[in-house]
Amino acid sequence: MASSCNGAFRNGSSSAQRPLKPLTASNLKSNSFKSRVHSSHAPPPPFRRSYPSNFSAAADGVPGRVRVAVRLRPRNAEELAADADFADCVELQPELKRLKLRKNNWDADTYEFDDVLTEFASQKRVYEVVAKPVVESVLDGYNGTVMAYGQTGTGKTFTLGHLGDDDTASRGIMARAMEDVLADISPETDSVSVSYLQLYMEAVQDLLVPANDNISIVEDPKTGDVSLPGATVVQIRDQQSIVELLRLGEANRIAANTKLNTESSRSHAILMVHVKRSFAGREDALSSEIDSASHLVKPSKLIVRKSKLVLVDLAGSERVHKSGSEGHMLEEAKSINLSLSALGKCINALAENSPHVPIRDSKLTRLLKDSFGGTARTSLIVTIGPSPRHRGETSSTILFGQRAMKVENMLKIKEEFDYKSLSRKLEIQVDKLIAENERQQKAFDNEVERINQEAQNRIAEVERNFAEALEKERLKCQMEYMESVKELEEKLVANQRRHDCDGFINGNCNGEELGSVSEEVSELRKLLQNEIQLRKAAEDELNKLKSQFEQFMQPGAGGDTEIVRLHRILEDEAYKKKSLEEEVAILQSQLLQLTFEAGQAKESLERSGSANGFNGVDPHMSQVRHLQFKETVNGQKAPIAPLYEHVGLQKILSLLESEDANVRIHAVKVVANLAAEEANQEKIVESGGLTSLLMLLRSFEDETIRRVAAGAIANLAMNEANQELIMVQGGISLLSLTAADAEDPQTLRMVAGAIANLCGNDKLQMKLRSEGGIRALLGMERCGHPDVLSQVARGIANFAKCESRASTQGLKSGRSLLIEDGALPWIVQNANNEAAPIRRHIELALCHLAQQEVNAKEMISGGALWELVRISRDCSREDIRTLARRTLNSSSTFRSEMRRLRIEC
């Protein structure tokens, strides 16, 4: 490594430097560097991951991958003594992150950077702004690069490689970065290795072992990673080791004295830091598709994550006529300028999205190949000097930084393009996975069917074997019993014959012999009794086994959960049937009681000859009850319609104001039944029945009265002529208040039905919405009862249909009032409801909303497009499918979105 003509190695002969301990190959490999001396020190404080406030982040929270900052070097003693003013050339605006480059007194160019650092910015702030985010990314597993670029003498080495022996606050980026890396890793599981190189005259040299002066660059053909197999790699354990290593490398770096800088770097210094982190990972896998909730956890395995941090102190660019370089120094300057020019060409090609990036024009660009592009994080700090002699190169330095900033924008454009390609690939993979899943599901179903068949066959075989075994056991017991009885009978006969023979021959047999014979007979009888008991026990055991077998054959005993569930459902239905029968019995008893009371009232009226009531009951209600139950004979109910012909409608309506609660309830039920027939509705309204029902809804808190009154209003609201009267008399406000207060599902069903009928009137749309009808309708979905939800869905469908019709006729513009009142999320959520009435109304509502082009964008963002596509394909009703298909094809917004998502209708 020649350095003869221009001076010594940088800092190599300075008397101010303390002597360095020579490093040999042995202590490099053993990581001596006084690591054992400091092993007992307390660990440094934890490395806090926090980006500075002025560090801009991308949309996803990840910092920009290429950032550029400009720094004005602090003045040295000579420049302070000269008091040279640099502001007439460059004006820094750090609060705006701008730099103005003055051409003359009246013209200037303005440039924007990610950060602008004045001469008063501390080394700590420079590190936090420029390098700390890159270091944090490296610790998270990304590759990172920090480069310093600028004219010679503008403070690149001070910014990047200053060790701060006299003042720790003046430490550069290299020392601070290594301090943060060592603070964050775990010595037991992680490792940090360092190589310190210089690129001198297009030759890669080792700053730790100067004899290694021609290191080759190797690129992995598969991954494109750059490696230096001949470089010295040192394992780092503590901060003191890295300081000693940096001091050794700086001493071996080549420097020279020029007119612009007394210690001008003649090579590019490159510090490569390799971080290897290990941590335990675990993988979860589905055990099977039969039980999707259970997981099998695989044993933990060690995961190793590698990343690389590259810190580059570029040699300063210079103009030969200003630096005064001659001879070998001139060749060094040419080599420096050529390598920097090659770096600039690569940055220009990346900024202009050129298909060819000249990476191989220089070894510097080959070493920095993975610093631009991919997921690498790169920070470039551009340094400018405060001295007037630096003004000539300031413009080109700033332009270099501007070209580097364009690389980030181009990378974002490429990344967006890559995301689209990735999206298409993922769609293809999803289709393949769906097909594979269907195939596996079919195979799984076949396997389940096969297993079920085998299980049934085995159960049948076990049942058959069990029955055969029981029959064999029964036959065996019977045979043993018969043999035992036969044997005992033979013994008994033989004994009797012997006894008779002995008595005939020896007539003088004494009583003892007779006693012994009788004892033997009694013993035989006992044995016979024991055999009978054994037979009985065997029969009992056989019956017990038969009962167990019958229990085993009963549904549910074999674990058939589906049959058990059906039995439970049947039991529940039987219980409900029993409850209903009890209620019918109670009602029948009440009917008999009321019939009896009506008979007594009739007799009392006939005796008194007056129209007065009995027992304080209103006379009109007595007539109502009498007419109701008089014609109820043999379980046949008298028709309600002719009721007012006998009593009078006015009398029935007057009973709505009775003080007796039972009278009011019966009266409002009669009015509700009358209102169910269209022929009676006009007479009820003309007689003031609608007003009376609204007053009941307003003034009474009895749940039954409110429910029946709301049902009567719902019946009246089926007539279009009555709908406007209901709105004029404040009916929608009363219905909205009732919907907010009521909790009974039947009351809410009646109220929802009334509002749903009103939603079908084109003239009442705005008034219905302004008085809170839509919000009241949506609020009733809190009940969750299917009948209530069905009425809510019907009202929304009616309202959407009226809006669509008005929009088609040109009577309405602007987006749907349903969407403005927040109905769209509920509509989308219930578009595939299990209940057919709810689903049918919601599907119609979606189709009518989609017919208004102004609603298309909000429906797309709210997820309604997918439901419309599903309706057009899977709806059970042909008319709704046709309507959805026609709506999607007629909307340009929907067609554009479907083309983007590659959906075919």
Side-chain angles (χ1 to χ4, degrees):
M1 181 173 58
S3 60
S4 56
C5 47
N6 358 354
F9 294 109
R10 173 172 245 187
N11 299 331
S13 59
S14 173
S15 60
Q17 299 290 335
R18 59 184 177 180
L20 293 173
K21 179 180 179 180
L23 294 175
T24 64
S26 61
N27 59 23
L28 282 175
K29 294 181 180 179
S30 62
N31 295 325
S32 58
F33 286 102
K34 303 182 180 179
S35 59
R36 297 182 180 178
V37 177
H38 299 278
S39 61
S40 61
H41 290 181
F47 181 32
R48 296 181 59 189
R49 299 286 183 86
S50 59
Y51 297 115
S53 60
N54 58 350
F55 188 87
S56 62
D60 58 353
V62 180
R65 290 174 297 178
V66 178
R67 290 178 47 81
V68 182
V70 63
R71 182 191 191 186
L72 178 62
R73 173 179 59 77
R75 302 187 187 186
N76 55 29
E78 178 184 352
E79 290 164 346
L80 289 172
D83 195 19
D85 187 10
F86 197 58
D88 58 347
C89 177
V90 176
E91 178 184 354
L92 300 180
Q93 297 176 339
E95 65 282 355
L96 300 177
K97 299 182 181 180
R98 292 178 180 173
L99 180 146
K100 283 188 176 182
L101 183 62
R102 299 185 182 277
K103 296 180 179 180
N104 44 48
N105 292 334
W106 58 87
D107 191 12
D109 292 332
T110 302
Y111 302 95
E112 292 187 0
F113 291 89
D114 292 313
D115 275 292
V116 174
L117 304 168
T118 65
E119 60 181 312
F120 304 106
S122 64
Q123 290 280 79
K124 180 180 179 181
R125 172 167 172 73
V126 172
Y127 169 72
E128 290 180 346
V129 168
V130 176
K132 188 172 183 178
V134 177
V135 174
E136 293 181 350
S137 297
V138 170
L139 292 172
D140 288 336
Y142 295 94
N143 290 338
T145 303
V146 179
M147 291 188 292
Y149 177 86
Q151 186 184 5
T152 181
T154 55
K156 297 183 299 301
T157 302
F158 173 77
T159 300
L160 215 66
H162 194 66
L163 299 179
D165 294 330
D166 300 328
D167 182 9
T168 57
S170 64
R171 287 174 302 158
I173 290 175
M174 288 184 178
R176 293 177 185 270
M178 293 304 301
E179 180 179 354
D180 281 351
V181 169
L182 293 173
D184 192 71
I185 66 169
S186 173
E188 292 79 10
T189 59
D190 305 336
S191 65
V192 178
S193 57
V194 172
S195 297
Y196 201 8
L197 312 167
Q198 70 173 353
L199 182 62
Y200 175 72
M201 298 287 289
E202 285 299 304
V204 181
Q205 302 176 356
D206 198 333
L207 289 176
L208 302 179
V209 181
N212 193 1
D213 58 357
N214 191 10
I215 300 173
S216 59
I217 301 175
V218 178
E219 296 182 18
D220 191 331
K222 295 182 179 180
T223 63
D225 294 339
V226 177
S227 60
L228 302 168
T232 303
V233 180
V234 180
Q235 296 291 331
I236 301 299
R237 293 294 180 184
D238 52 34
Q239 185 65 17
Q240 185 62 30
S241 300
I242 191 61
V243 170
E244 294 291 341
L245 185 144
L246 292 175
R247 184 176 289 112
L248 173 63
E250 191 65 20
N252 291 330
R253 188 177 177 187
I254 298 174
N257 184 4
T258 66
K259 292 180 180 180
L260 296 177
N261 189 5
T262 57
E263 291 186 1
S264 175
S265 300
R266 313 309 291 170
S267 65
H268 308 296
I270 303 168
L271 179 66
M272 289 188 176
V273 183
H274 297 271
V275 180
K276 183 186 296 184
R277 312 197 71 173
S278 303
F279 57 93
R282 55 191 301 172
E283 297 179 356
D284 295 341
L286 288 174
S287 60
S288 66
E289 295 187 8
I290 299 176
D291 187 6
S292 59
S294 62
H295 291 72
L296 294 178
V297 180
K298 293 183 179 180
S300 301
K301 66 176 183 179
L302 194 64
I303 298 176
V304 179
R305 186 168 60 193
K306 298 179 181 180
S307 56
K308 179 172 66 173
L309 173 63
V310 181
L311 304 173
V312 185
D313 179 12
L314 297 172
S317 61
E318 61 182 59
R319 295 187 179 180
V320 177
H321 68 279
K322 287 189 176 181
S323 63
S325 299
E326 297 178 352
H328 188 71
M329 289 178 57
L330 178 61
E331 297 299 323
E332 291 175 342
K334 290 180 180 179
S335 177
I336 291 170
N337 289 338
L338 283 174
S339 60
L340 294 177
S341 176
L343 178 61
K345 289 180 181 178
C346 292
I347 291 177
N348 285 339
L350 290 171
E352 295 172 0
N353 196 20
S354 174
H356 172 66
V357 180
I359 295 293
R360 308 188 68 84
D361 287 0
S362 171
K363 288 188 177 182
L364 175 63
T365 55
R366 290 180 63 190
L367 287 172
L368 302 179
K369 177 183 178 181
D370 52 0
S371 296
F372 294 96
T375 59
R377 275 41 172 174
T378 300
S379 284
L380 173 65
I381 180 167
V382 178
T383 58
I384 57 177
S387 175
R389 67 174 179 267
H390 297 125
R391 295 179 184 176
E393 287 292 320
T394 300
S395 175
S396 61
T397 303
I398 293 173
L399 291 175
F400 182 89
Q402 284 292 299
R403 290 194 298 271
M405 289 192 66
K406 293 181 181 179
V407 175
E408 171 66 12
N409 297 329
M410 190 54 58
L411 287 174
K412 290 180 179 178
I413 294 174
K414 287 185 176 180
E415 186 177 89
E416 293 176 357
F417 178 77
D418 292 341
Y419 284 159
K420 292 180 180 178
S421 302
L422 179 61
S423 176
R424 288 194 293 270
K425 292 180 181 178
L426 290 177
E427 288 179 358
I428 296 173
Q429 292 179 4
V430 166
D431 292 339
K432 292 182 179 179
L433 290 175
I434 291 174
E436 179 65 19
N437 183 53
E438 291 178 351
R439 185 188 63 78
Q440 292 180 359
Q441 183 66 32
K442 185 176 180 181
F444 173 75
D445 294 340
N446 295 336
E447 182 67 17
V448 169
E449 184 177 359
R450 185 186 62 80
I451 293 174
N452 288 336
Q453 188 63 37
E454 289 182 358
Q456 292 177 0
N457 295 337
R458 290 182 181 179
I459 291 173
E461 183 179 356
V462 169
E463 292 173 353
R464 187 170 57 254
N465 295 336
F466 186 68
E468 293 176 356
L470 285 176
E471 185 65 22
K472 290 180 179 179
E473 187 68 23
R474 185 180 66 83
L475 294 175
K476 181 180 179 182
C477 291
Q478 288 181 353
M479 293 299 294
E480 291 178 353
Y481 171 74
M482 295 299 294
E483 290 178 358
S484 300
V485 170
K486 185 177 180 180
E487 183 179 355
L488 290 173
E489 288 178 349
E490 290 176 352
K491 288 182 179 180
L492 179 61
V493 171
N495 289 331
Q496 288 178 351
R497 288 177 179 176
R498 189 173 62 251
H499 173 68
D500 294 339
C501 182
D502 292 341
F504 178 76
I505 296 174
N506 300 317
N508 56 352
C509 293
N510 57 24
E512 292 180 358
E513 292 177 352
L514 292 175
S516 63
V517 170
S518 61
E519 289 178 356
E520 187 176 356
V521 171
S522 63
E523 183 178 354
L524 291 175
R525 288 178 178 174
K526 288 182 181 179
L527 290 175
L528 180 61
Q529 190 68 25
N530 290 336
E531 289 295 333
I532 294 173
Q533 291 178 356
L534 289 174
R535 176 186 176 183
K536 185 177 181 181
E539 290 178 350
D540 293 338
E541 183 67 18
L542 181 62
N543 293 331
K544 182 178 179 181
L545 291 174
K546 286 183 178 180
S547 64
Q548 290 180 355
F549 176 72
E550 290 175 355
Q551 291 178 0
F552 177 80
M553 293 297 294
Q554 288 179 358
D560 193 345
T561 57
E562 183 64 21
I563 297 177
V564 172
R565 186 179 67 83
L566 293 175
H567 276 290
R568 290 179 180 174
I569 292 174
L570 292 175
E571 291 175 357
D572 293 340
E573 293 295 330
Y575 177 79
K576 291 180 181 178
K577 181 179 178 181
K578 185 178 180 181
S579 300
L580 291 175
E581 291 176 350
E582 292 176 354
E583 291 179 2
V584 170
I586 294 172
L587 292 175
Q588 288 177 349
S589 65
Q590 292 178 355
L591 176 61
L592 293 175
Q593 182 181 357
L594 291 174
T595 306
F596 177 76
E597 291 176 358
Q600 288 183 342
K602 179 182 178 182
E603 293 175 359
S604 176
L605 288 174
E606 290 176 351
R607 286 195 304 269
S608 62
S610 63
N612 294 329
F614 64 98
N615 295 332
V617 179
D618 193 75
H620 302 310
M621 194 61 231
S622 300
Q623 295 180 22
V624 172
R625 289 178 177 174
H626 176 65
L627 288 172
Q628 281 182 319
F629 297 109
K630 179 180 178 182
E631 300 179 8
T632 305
V633 181
N634 297 328
Q636 295 181 355
K637 184 176 180 182
I640 301 286
L643 188 61
Y644 64 89
E645 297 177 0
H646 299 282
V647 181
L649 186 58
Q650 288 294 342
K651 293 181 180 180
I652 297 174
L653 294 177
S654 65
L655 295 178
L656 296 176
E657 301 177 1
S658 175
E659 295 181 357
D660 190 344
N662 292 327
V663 173
R664 287 196 305 272
I665 292 174
H666 283 290
V668 74
K669 286 182 178 179
V670 172
V671 175
N673 288 328
L674 289 172
E677 299 182 11
E678 187 176 357
N680 304 327
Q681 293 181 358
E682 184 177 356
K683 297 179 181 179
I684 293 174
V685 174
E686 291 177 354
S687 301
L690 176 60
T691 305
S692 300
L693 290 171
L694 291 174
M695 290 180 63
L696 282 178
L697 203 61
R698 178 186 294 108
S699 57
F700 285 95
E701 297 181 357
D702 185 86
E703 193 66 34
T704 303
I705 293 178
R706 289 204 302 177
R707 178 174 68 252
V708 180
I713 294 172
N715 290 336
L716 294 175
M718 295 176 66
N719 192 326
E720 186 175 354
N722 299 333
Q723 293 175 354
E724 297 185 7
L725 292 175
I726 294 174
M727 296 295 290
V728 169
Q729 296 184 25
I732 189 63
S733 300
L734 292 175
L735 291 171
S736 300
L737 293 175
T738 306
D741 297 339
E743 296 296 337
D744 180 54
Q746 297 304 322
T747 304
L748 291 175
R749 180 174 68 86
M750 298 298 181
V751 174
I755 298 177
N757 291 336
L758 295 174
C759 286
N761 194 322
D762 295 336
K763 303 175 182 178
L764 307 179
Q765 297 277 296
M766 295 302 298
K767 191 168 181 63
L768 186 66
R769 191 242 182 163
S770 63
E771 295 188 10
I774 302 302
R775 288 192 174 89
L777 196 64
L778 292 173
M780 284 184 281
E781 60 88 17
R782 71 183 185 278
C783 174
H785 196 279
D787 294 340
V788 178
L789 295 181
S790 178
Q791 296 298 327
V792 172
R794 184 171 69 87
I796 290 176
N798 289 343
F799 197 93
K801 182 177 181 180
C802 292
E803 279 192 327
S804 175
R805 186 163 51 236
S807 177
T808 304
Q809 296 172 357
L811 302 178
K812 179 185 178 299
S813 61
R815 64 176 183 165
S816 170
L817 299 179
L818 289 172
I819 294 179
E820 290 184 356
D821 281 354
L824 185 60
W826 185 84
I827 293 174
V828 174
Q829 181 183 357
N830 289 273
N832 200 15
N833 196 290
E834 294 180 357
I838 300 174
R839 183 173 66 252
R840 183 179 68 253
H841 291 311
I842 291 298
E843 288 173 348
L844 284 172
L846 275 174
C847 293
H848 290 311
L849 285 174
Q851 287 179 341
Q852 307 172 55
E853 184 69 21
V854 70
N855 300 333
K857 290 186 178 179
E858 292 198 35
M859 294 185 71
I860 290 172
S861 61
L865 175 60
W866 295 103
E867 294 300 333
L868 285 169
V869 173
R870 180 192 61 77
I871 294 168
S872 68
R873 295 175 178 174
D874 303 333
C875 182
S876 58
R877 288 183 48 174
E878 178 64 27
D879 56 340
I880 300 178
R881 285 204 309 272
T882 304
L883 178 60
R885 195 177 299 114
R886 185 172 63 248
T887 302
L888 289 173
N889 292 330
S890 62
S891 172
S892 58
T893 306
F894 284 138
R895 290 200 308 271
S896 175
E897 182 67 13
M898 288 192 296
R899 282 196 302 271
R900 188 182 72 82
L901 298 175
R902 297 186 176 181
I903 300 175
E904 294 182 359
C905 179

